[in-house]
Amino acid sequence: MARRLRFNGTGSGEGGCPAVHEDLDTGEVIVHGPPLTDPADLSKLQHLDEGEVAVVVPRNTLVDFGPRDTEPRVIDLDAFGKLFENFKHTARRIESRRRYASDEGTDTYAQFLAGEHPVWDMDTPWCHTINRQVAQGARIERVRIVDRPATPGQRYLLAYAEKNAALGEKICNLWREDAERLLLPEEDFWIFDSRLVALLNFDDADDLINAELITEPAAVNRYIQAWDAAAHYARPYESFAALVRAEE
């Protein structure tokens, strides 16, 4: 069976080799680059068995793009909320879940299920924070993954995008089958200023409980690559909502 490989990055400014890939199932790392061919150099290598080849890779390529196991830094929801007050330029999210319990306890969710147009409250602390960031020039963007057929929670978020857009956010959607084809991560996450990732942790009841911060450059880079792929193929929420309605 063919490996499921993810491109982590390359040390070449021209986008070629040497490069680092990661096997998504085994965690193994695949490196390719120019071969080491000088017999005198090869003779100095230990444990180079028959059938194996040696490649030359700049140290920084492995430093920048090799996966690492690090101790997670978990923050509570109050600290997570502060991230939206303190980022400088961009906040981007991929929402991949089929259900968010926090949505289901709202009046607007009940209105939506009843077939009514939800009445959005635009005078909340969250709205004020987002309005302030957008007014200062920050960009806030989301790509929401949607199943076929869409779950009730996903259809609600298609309606909720109206509020997001009114606050200045850019909202797009992507079919889950396309997300799987692109090998996007299955988890929910935010990327702040292309340097910090907040990986969102949910309990078995689909409640958000905390966030894990990721700052290691190679790991952050993988989430940025996932975002770029998702944003490239996603559709604006207005046209995507029309597709969903057509399939109901």
Side-chain angles (χ1 to χ4, degrees):
M1 180 181 296
R3 292 176 182 261
R4 295 196 308 134
L5 299 180
R6 176 175 60 202
F7 172 68
N8 283 0
T10 175
S12 169
E14 300 299 325
C17 70
V20 177
H21 291 75
E22 184 177 354
D23 189 312
L24 295 177
D25 298 311
T26 68
E28 293 175 312
V29 177
I30 294 89
V31 178
H32 67 83
L36 185 68
T37 57
D38 189 292
D41 291 333
L42 291 172
S43 67
K44 299 174 185 178
L45 299 180
Q46 299 184 39
H47 310 297
L48 184 66
D49 294 330
E50 184 178 355
E52 295 181 343
V53 296
V55 299
V56 180
V57 181
R59 179 181 180 86
N60 283 347
T61 300
L62 296 180
V63 171
D64 292 340
F65 303 112
R68 295 168 179 78
D69 293 324
T70 58
E71 192 69 25
R73 177 187 170 194
V74 177
I75 60 173
D76 62 23
L77 297 183
D78 287 338
F80 171 63
K82 293 294 184 182
L83 296 178
F84 295 92
E85 300 176 9
N86 298 325
F87 79 93
K88 301 299 183 184
H89 309 293
T90 58
R92 298 181 169 108
R93 181 180 181 183
I94 290 184
E95 299 182 22
S96 61
R97 299 179 66 83
R98 295 173 172 87
R99 174 178 181 261
Y100 295 89
S102 59
D103 290 339
E104 297 177 6
T106 64
D107 292 339
T108 51
Y109 191 86
Q111 293 165 2
F112 174 78
L113 290 185
E116 304 170 7
H117 188 281
V119 178
W120 310 115
D121 183 0
M122 308 299 288
D123 187 23
T124 68
W126 167 260
C127 291
H128 296 162
T129 296
I130 300 305
N131 275 328
R132 183 169 59 253
Q133 286 284 28
V134 171
Q136 293 172 352
R139 296 179 61 184
I140 303 172
E141 303 173 290
R142 307 182 196 229
V143 172
R144 289 172 170 151
I145 310 301
V146 178
D147 289 272
R148 267 183 164 136
T151 67
Q154 292 166 349
R155 290 189 292 107
Y156 170 73
L157 286 177
L158 278 169
Y160 193 90
E162 178 185 52
K163 177 177 179 178
N164 295 127
L167 292 172
E169 297 186 47
K170 178 181 178 181
I171 309 298
C172 293
N173 294 88
L174 185 70
W175 293 117
R176 188 172 301 278
E177 61 204 53
D178 292 323
E180 292 172 348
R181 175 178 57 82
L182 295 169
L183 300 178
L184 298 185
E186 295 182 359
E187 58 262 35
D188 256 58
F189 60 89
W190 281 94
I191 306 171
F192 295 94
D193 294 330
S194 297
R195 65 173 184 84
L196 181 149
V197 172
L199 189 64
L200 306 187
N201 295 323
F202 294 79
D203 61 18
D204 291 339
D206 296 311
D207 282 305
L208 177 63
I209 54 175
N210 55 43
E212 177 184 339
L213 298 186
I214 300 173
T215 56
E216 195 279 312
V220 171
N221 183 64
R222 290 194 290 272
Y223 285 100
I224 292 173
Q225 290 179 25
W227 165 264
D228 286 346
H232 179 76
Y233 288 100
R235 294 172 176 262
Y237 79 90
E238 300 97 333
S239 60
F240 194 91
L243 292 176
V244 172
R245 289 192 295 269
E247 294 195 2
E248 290 178 348

